[in-house]
């Protein structure tokens, strides 16, 4: 039986920071016709809320796709502060 990405994400542990480590330039996002970030983010962090890009940064798995996938380089991206963000279990 295969495990879906949603199942795998569900097993991850998050310790969200209070402030977002992902900051889009909303002016650029408003003129972005296709908004591919709504599709390429595996954790569904981004959603379009009428006039702005909403960022559910708490669910970010820090894959880095939005750094290269956004055609306008709209997203100021950094890792969450030390001790915050997703926690991967290895082994
Ligand atoms: S793809 Fe980039 S510019 Fe377009 S909506 Fe998403 S973050 Fe904004
Ligand atoms: S780093 Fe990956 S998981 Fe986080 S918002 Fe960007 S695409 Fe989504």
């Amino acid at each position: 039986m295969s495990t879906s990405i949603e199942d795998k994400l569900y097993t991850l542990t998050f310790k969200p920071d209070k402030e977002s480590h992902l900051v889009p330039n909303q002016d650029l996002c408003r003129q972005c016709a296709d908004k591919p970030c709504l599709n390429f983010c595996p954790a569904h962090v981004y959603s379009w809320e009428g006039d702005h890009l909403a960022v559910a940064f708490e669910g970010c798995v820090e894959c880095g796709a939005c750094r290269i996938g956004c055609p306008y380089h709209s997203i100021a991206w950094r890792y969450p502060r030390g001790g915050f963000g997703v926690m991967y279990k290895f082994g």
Side-chain angles (χ1 to χ4, degrees):
M1 196 176 79
S2 66
T3 307
S4 72
I5 183 86
E6 282 77 16
D7 288 342
K8 286 184 176 165
L9 290 174
Y10 189 69
T11 65
L12 297 175
T13 304
F14 296 90
K15 183 181 177 188
D17 202 346
K18 287 195 187 67
E19 82 186 47
S20 178
H21 62 290
L22 305 160
V23 182
N25 179 325
Q26 299 288 353
D27 290 335
L28 290 173
C29 293
R30 271 186 279 275
Q31 56 181 279
C32 174
D34 296 334
K35 300 183 177 32
C37 62
L38 305 187
N39 296 312
F40 66 60
C41 173
H44 308 295
V45 163
Y46 300 108
S47 58
W48 189 249
E49 301 284 338
D51 64 349
H52 71 281
L53 190 69
V55 184
F57 67 93
E58 301 90 340
C60 173
V61 295
E62 299 165 31
C63 73
C66 50
R67 277 196 295 190
I68 52 175
C70 170
Y72 295 100
H73 305 289
S74 165
I75 302 164
W77 199 100
R78 60 180 169 82
Y79 282 104
R81 291 187 298 159
F84 292 96
V86 65
M87 291 165 205
Y88 289 97
K89 281 186 270 186
F90 296 99

